[in-house]
Amino acid sequence: MSNVTSLAFMLLLCANHYSVSAQPVNILQVRTIAVSPYGIETNEKLSGIYYDLANRLLAKAGIESEHHIFPYGRIMHELKLGKTDLTIMFKYKELADYVDYIYPLPTLKNVVIGRKGADYHSVKQLEKLSIAYLRGAQFSDDIDNNPKIVKQTVSDFHQGLLMLQKGRVDAIIGPMVPIISAAKQLGLSKAFFGKPLVVSERTPWLQLSKKSHHKVSAKQLKTLFSQMMAQGELKTIQQKYQ
């Protein structure tokens, strides 16, 4: 390679590096949990209650965003690094130092539920039983800290219900809404299930990574989001997925 060609090649590399590094960090990175009906990915089409709610918020705020649907574990990892700026999900102790909690959504009840005829009345009754548990989630401290309860991790509620249907687990744990949503997709009616045992109540929050590089205003998001909740936009979106 001649000296002239080498010089041209180096100048091209420098120009490319400058153009990439000079790009401003102005696209908010948003992630929604991959749990139907909150975050749904079908044939590369994204939707869901939290997905739509976050998009409406950012449209009102006039903020450009890039929005993906990811599993719990990946979102939590990215929040710590600042690769995810904004999400809606439960509070987790391990994220307490990494996120700011902007605004709460209505509290959800987490339940353990089995097949018809299997009615559970206490966590103690679950010992030596096997429960389908969403990977990366934390639904109940009492169950999480009880080594006598077998937890079979699953990628989603659909997989957990298939295992329950085939008798590979005794019960499944999680919020009732996504469990019933997954059951409908599998053609399982409420008659398939026994009586649910409420094991915790958790509140989803709109939360912002403290390591976010985006100059988003937490105060603006809180103001807009609180207005949306007061105006019933969450309920309107929920009706769309019933």
Side-chain angles (χ1 to χ4, degrees), residues 69-124:
I69 293 176
F70 285 164
Y72 267 105
R74 182 170 178 180
I75 296 175
M76 292 170 73
H77 177 70
E78 289 198 353
L79 284 169
K80 292 179 180 180
L81 298 177
K83 289 185 177 181
T84 288
D85 298 307
L86 192 75
T87 192
I88 298 173
M89 64 181 187
F90 293 145
K91 285 184 176 182
Y92 287 99
K93 293 178 182 178
E94 62 188 276
L95 287 178
D97 295 331
Y98 298 93
V99 299
D100 289 317
Y101 298 106
I102 306 300
Y103 200 84
L105 282 73
T107 297
L108 300 175
K109 292 181 179 180
N110 289 313
V111 304
V112 171
I113 191 167
R115 296 180 294 274
K116 184 177 181 179
D119 296 338
Y120 304 116
H121 305 285
S122 68
V123 172
K124 181 73 175 177

Side-chain angles (χ1 to χ4, degrees), residues 167-207:
R168 294 172 56 190
V169 294
D170 299 294
I172 187 170
I173 185 173
M176 199 66 190
V177 171
I179 291 176
I180 295 302
S181 176
K184 287 181 179 179
Q185 294 174 13
L186 290 171
L188 300 175
S189 69
K190 290 185 178 180
F192 169 79
F193 297 99
K195 183 179 178 180
L197 167 67
V198 177
V199 292
S200 70
E201 293 188 5
R202 295 275 173 89
T203 302
W205 280 75
L206 177 70
Q207 40 195 290

